[in-house]
Structure formats: structure tokens, C-alpha cells
Amino acid sequence: MSLRLFECTAHQIKAKILSKEIRASDFIKIVFDRIKSLEPNIQAFITINEDEAIKKAIEIDKKIESNENVGLLAGLPVAVKDNICTKNLYTTCASKILETFIPPYDAFVVKRLREEDAIIVGKTNLDEFAMGSSTENSGLKITRNPWNLECVPGGSSGGSAAAVAADLSILALGSETGGSVRQPAALCGVVGIKPTYGRVSRYGLVAFGSSLDQVGTVSKDVRDAALLLRVIAGYDLHDSTSANVPVPDYLDRIDSGVDGLRIGIPKEYFTDAFNADVYKALKDALKIYERLGAQVVDISLPHTEYAVAVYYIVANAEASSNLARYDGVRYGYRTSKPNGIIDMYCRTRSEGFGNEVKRRIMLGNYVLSSGYYDAYYLKASKVRNLIKIDFDVAFEKVDCIICPTSPVPAFKIGERANNPLEMYLSDIYTIPANLAGIPGISIPCGFSKEGLPIGMQILGKHFEEKKLLQIAYAFERETDFHVKKPVLKISSM
Ligand code: GLN
């Protein structure tokens, strides 16, 4: 069966554009037609960047016509999560407080996209300031899961994952603090990478938890993830935590296979606590790896049970400090007719932030306050180190760790919205990697009885993204979960 053009991967479209089988400007029109017909149902985007995208596509066509060199992402549509700054294009963080904010500069990753001739199609919806696991905390709109419009797409990069899953974009960027790329990728049946902390510059990524935040990739398959990661990774002087480590060609020898590799299965993750369909999909996936020559090894990550608690202390502490800058003075929303400066601060922040953001600012301030700092923040930082050591010890024995990305497939919109604790548990399998700073990838590995996608997570040592991509690709080559598409009805505008 031949694919419709918007269903193609980045590699397939790139080949067609470079061989002049299709022009970038014709392809981008197809993409915007697709967006116009499906966006009323999916609501993946906050801003659509059609005019600039068409201009850029025409420029790329001219370069190709005149046989000039073009970038690695020539003519490829990329959707960018709306907490990543784009020059002259709204960057709202899905918050009322930044609803009218237009950054005067590009984030490092956006600059890299432009340098490699990508086309930015729009800015995608998220949980406000990336705080959430379902995109329901967006202050602006609710995004729906393309596989079932009554379900959440996951979060906080739910807009990016839904956009790629519904073929509204070929590639997307998301951001991770505790799982916000991998978890929505799993729930939408696409591929998501959270790189090693420091691998990708945070310059221009709106700060949430600075010691955890990373920009990540969303794509239709593993090879596209390798391509996009290569473009955004690398050292940047503007981010003091950026690592000066050479960026390999992640596509080179991506087909090396897994023969002889050792895969660790953490006993703490494989309990009967998670959904039976997820359990079965993971077990089947491990059988495929064994058939391909990998050895499955039982391991232990003994401090796993503390990860969620530690994360919500560290992330909220950092968030409470990072979000202090939204005070109505320098940029963003300001309340009308305040009664003096204190009233201006209070009302601006009360009116501008949503409930989840306020909850986190309060929790964060509490754990940092004098008298509680040692009991909460300092203690959490120490336990965070133990979690990191768990991984160091495990990686002495194994090449990677495999576990579910999310304990459950996509849940219904509204189902968890009033229970923050249950929502926080959505990230139980993704958060440890952020605390330890290690890379992780989520790839499709099955479907639930209801036909919802299931994701498998592969974790590796710091800076071993290349190995993770090889391991992920070995599975992808053997299976067809990643090529399955949701059935979407075209809606009229
Ligand atoms: N869901 C987690 C949270 O709510 C992670 C968010 C993220 O990774 N940005 O904080």
C-alpha cells in the first residue's frame, strides 16, 4: 500500500525533495491542508506558522533548483513545543501570563533547525509551563489523542506528540523535566527521546526545573529521531550546563543489532502494578530482543520508590524560583488598575497562572523555606544522588535498561484531572532518568485491547544515545507498531 505524502517519514520526504520528485513548497501546502482539516479535532497547535513556512519552503526550492547545498532537514516540517523560544513567533508556555509574549531571539535548538533548513510549522500545546502529564493543564486549550479523541495525548509535550501521530508534522520538538517527551510519545504511538542532561542546549527553553530540563525529539520512527537529535545536540556557550562532548552521527551503523548485548530488567519496575496489556507488550518485546541475540538480565534499582517524591520536591523548588520572573514588570501579562506594586505582583500572578502552576510554586517555596530546607530539599537532593548511583551500579552489568514508558495507555480526558497525586504517578517510570541525567527513548511496542498505543522505554548511560538508537532500531526493524496509523475523520472547519 503506498503512503499518502503526509504519512511519510522525514527520511522518505527528504529523499523526495532532494531528488526533485516533490517541491518543498508543494509538500508544505499538503501539510497545512492536513492541519486545517484535522486541527479542529486534535487541537495540537497554539500557533500555526503558515506564512513564514511557505516563504521558507520557497527559499529551499530555489536552493535545490540551483543545486546549492541544503541542510540536513531540508524542507522538513517541524512542530515546536510552545515553551521553546522562537524569534518573532508567539511563545506562550500555554499560560495566560505569556499569552502575548513574542521572543526577540531563537532558542539554540530552533537556530539549529533553521540552519539545517527545517520548516517550523507551528508551536504546539502543552501543560502550562510543562507542568503535567496530560496536556489538560494548558491554560489555552485541550489537545486530544489522535488514537481516541476522548483520551489525553499525554504530557506535557502532548501537542507535539499528537501532531506527529496525526501526521500534522513530520517531526517535532518537546521538552522533558520528568518524562514529558517519552510519556506522550508512548501514549500517541510515536518515538520520543530525552537526551542526556547537557547533551542539548537549554538556551531559550523556558525554565521549569533547570537541573532536569532537556529538549527532546518526537518522530515517526527511530531513524528520524537519530536525524533530528544530531541536529539539535551539541555544545552551546549560552548554556553553562551544556556539555562539550562531540556529537556522533547517530545514523551511522544504526543497524548494528543487539547480538551479545545485555538488557537489564529492573525488578522494581516489573510489578503487577501496571496495566496487563502494557505488561504483555513488554514481555513480548523482550522475547524479540532475546531472539535477536540479546541477553535479558535481572537487575535492581533499589531507590526507585523514592523517585516521584524526590522529583516533586526538586522540580517544584526549582520551578518556584524560575517562575518568580513573571511579575508583570518586564514582560507578559500585567493586571489592570493595580493598587500599588504589591497588589500588582499579587494580582498579576493570581490571574496569570493556572491552578497547577500555583500549586507547584507554593510547594516549591515551602520546601525551600528556612526550617524545612534541610528536611525536604536537602534530603531530596541526597536521595537523588542515591538514585543516580543505582543506575551507575546497574550499568556496570548491563548495556541498557528496558521498562514500560507509562504504566497505562492513554487515559480519558478528565479522568485524572482532579487527582494530582494519581496524575503525578503517570511518570513513575520516566522520572528516575531525569533525576539521574541519563538518556532514554520511548518507542511503540504494542497496542492495548482498546487499540491504544503502548510504549517501551530504553534507558542508557550518559551520552550513549547512539547505542540506545541502535537498540531501538533493532526492535523497530522486526515489528510494525510504528507504521500503524490512527483512523482520523476529517472535520470541517
Ligand atoms: N509530568 C511531570 C510533571 O508534571 C513531568 C513534566 C515534564 O517532564 N515537563 O512535572
Side-chain angles (χ1 to χ4, degrees):
M1 198 181 77
S2 80
L3 289 176
R4 288 175 289 177
L5 278 173
F6 51 75
E7 292 176 330
C8 290
T9 64
H11 277 85
Q12 290 164 337
I13 287 296
K14 187 175 155 184
K16 289 183 197 295
I17 291 178
L18 294 184
S19 68
K20 302 186 187 166
E21 188 183 326
I22 180 164
R23 286 192 309 202
S25 54
D26 291 331
F27 181 62
I28 207 71
K29 280 184 201 128
I30 294 174
V31 170
F32 282 107
D33 283 347
R34 175 91 179 157
I35 292 178
K36 277 171 208 155
S37 62
L38 288 175
E39 183 59 5
N41 283 343
I42 310 276
Q43 302 276 308
F45 290 92
I46 292 176
T47 303
I48 291 176
N49 190 32
E50 186 168 3
D51 294 346
E52 192 197 283
I54 291 174
K55 258 190 233 151
K56 177 80 188 175
I58 293 171
E59 261 173 47
I60 293 162
D61 284 341
K62 281 193 190 135
K63 280 197 200 176
I64 292 175
E65 283 300 305
S66 53
N67 294 324
E68 268 177 61
N69 283 342
V70 286
L72 286 169
L73 302 179
L76 297 178
V78 185
V80 177
K81 186 176 181 179
D82 211 19
N83 62 346
I84 300 176
C85 287
T86 40
K87 189 173 176 176
N88 298 335
L89 188 63
Y90 285 109
T91 299
T92 68
C93 292
S95 180
K96 293 231 176 313
I97 216 156
L98 284 178
E99 205 173 349
T100 55
F101 175 58
I102 301 179
Y105 70 105
D106 276 331
F108 175 87
V109 290
V110 171
K111 185 170 146 269
R112 290 290 300 127
L113 292 181
R114 295 196 205 273
E115 284 166 359
E116 296 297 341
D117 288 326
I119 299 182
I120 294 168
V121 281
K123 303 295 295 289
T124 54
N125 196 23
L126 63 150
D127 288 296
E128 185 176 1
F129 285 100
M131 297 175 180
S133 310
S134 67
T135 314
E136 289 165 292
N137 292 339
S138 168
L140 305 180
K141 55 168 63 177
I142 299 275
T143 299
R144 291 170 184 276
N145 190 315
W147 291 89
N148 179 342
L149 298 179
E150 282 167 27
C151 290
V152 302
S156 63
S157 311
S160 290
V164 173
D167 297 313
L168 308 182
S169 182
I170 303 287
L171 298 167
L173 294 183
S175 74
E176 278 249 2
T177 305
S180 276
V181 167
R182 287 164 289 159
Q183 187 259 16
L187 269 47
C188 289
V190 292
V191 174
I193 299 185
K194 170 226 153 346
T196 307
Y197 184 76
R199 176 73 292 185
V200 177
S201 167
R202 289 183 294 113
Y203 179 71
L205 166 66
V206 176
F208 165 9
S210 307
S211 74
L212 301 153
D213 296 343
Q214 271 295 282
V215 175
T217 66
V218 180
S219 61
K220 299 183 187 184
D221 70 10
V222 172
R223 292 178 71 239
D224 284 5
L227 175 68
L228 184 55
L229 181 63
R230 178 175 172 195
V231 168
I232 63 167
Y235 179 61
D236 175 23
L237 223 89
H238 293 106
D239 171 2
S240 60
T241 57
S242 162
N244 198 350
V245 176
V247 181
D249 178 354
Y250 296 112
L251 283 162
D252 177 43
R253 283 175 288 126
I254 195 165
D255 55 0
S256 302
V258 290
D259 193 18
L261 290 191
R262 289 151 309 162
I263 296 175
I265 305 301
K267 71 168 192 279
E268 292 77 6
Y269 288 38
F270 278 77
T271 62
D272 50 12
F274 60 86
N275 173 287
D277 294 343
V278 177
Y279 191 82
K280 178 165 185 323
L282 261 288
K283 287 283 177 200
D284 291 348
L286 291 173
K287 281 187 209 136
I288 293 182
Y289 275 117
E290 283 183 313
R291 176 163 60 69
L292 296 173
Q295 191 194 339
V296 173
V297 182
D298 287 327
I299 58 160
S300 171
L301 298 168
H303 297 92
T304 300
E305 64 173 306
Y306 305 112
V308 173
V310 166
Y311 169 82
Y312 279 96
I313 292 174
V314 173
N316 291 346
E318 293 180 12
S320 68
S321 159
N322 277 326
L323 271 63
R325 72 190 71 173
Y326 307 105
D327 56 5
V329 176
R330 282 156 293 193
Y331 47 78
Y333 174 77
R334 177 185 294 177
T335 190
S336 60
K337 301 201 190 88
N339 229 333
I341 183 107
I342 300 295
D343 186 48
M344 194 281 284
Y345 289 149
C346 290
R347 279 180 33 210
T348 294
R349 288 168 66 83
S350 319
E351 292 159 17
F353 289 134
N355 285 343
E356 182 60 22
V357 175
K358 287 180 196 162
R359 179 183 293 125
R360 296 193 187 209
I361 292 173
M362 286 191 285
L363 283 168
N365 277 309
Y366 178 79
V367 298
L368 289 177
S369 56
S370 76
Y372 295 105
Y373 180 92
D374 287 357
Y376 292 108
Y377 187 73
L378 194 64
K379 180 76 137 287
S381 303
K382 288 180 181 163
V383 180
R384 177 180 186 176
N385 198 40
L386 295 176
I387 291 169
K388 183 184 163 290
I389 293 171
D390 281 354
F391 282 109
D392 293 344
V393 172
F395 286 128
E396 283 171 13
K397 280 204 293 194
V398 294
D399 296 284
C400 72
I401 293 172
I402 289 189
C403 59
T405 308
S406 161
V408 289
F411 42 93
K412 289 267 163 65
I413 292 172
E415 194 180 306
R416 296 185 173 198
N418 296 323
N419 187 341
L421 270 186
E422 205 182 331
M423 189 70 93
Y424 293 175
L425 290 175
S426 306
D427 305 310
I428 190 158
Y429 300 125
T430 48
I431 276 174
N434 301 76
L435 291 170
I438 59 172
I441 181 169
S442 177
I443 58 172
C445 75
F447 288 90
S448 69
K449 280 184 223 58
E450 295 75 29
L452 293 168
I454 294 171
M456 159 166 73
Q457 175 176 220
I458 312 170
L459 304 173
K461 275 191 213 170
H462 292 99
F463 298 101
E464 289 204 342
E465 285 83 358
K466 191 169 163 71
K467 193 192 263 180
L468 290 190
L469 286 157
Q470 284 171 3
I471 297 169
Y473 186 60
F475 179 82
E476 190 183 83
R477 268 203 303 190
E478 294 293 310
T479 55
D480 63 356
F481 304 116
H482 63 291
V483 292
K484 296 262 188 322
K485 298 276 176 191
V487 181
L488 284 161
K489 286 199 198 75
I490 305 291
S491 49
S492 51
M493 289 279 253

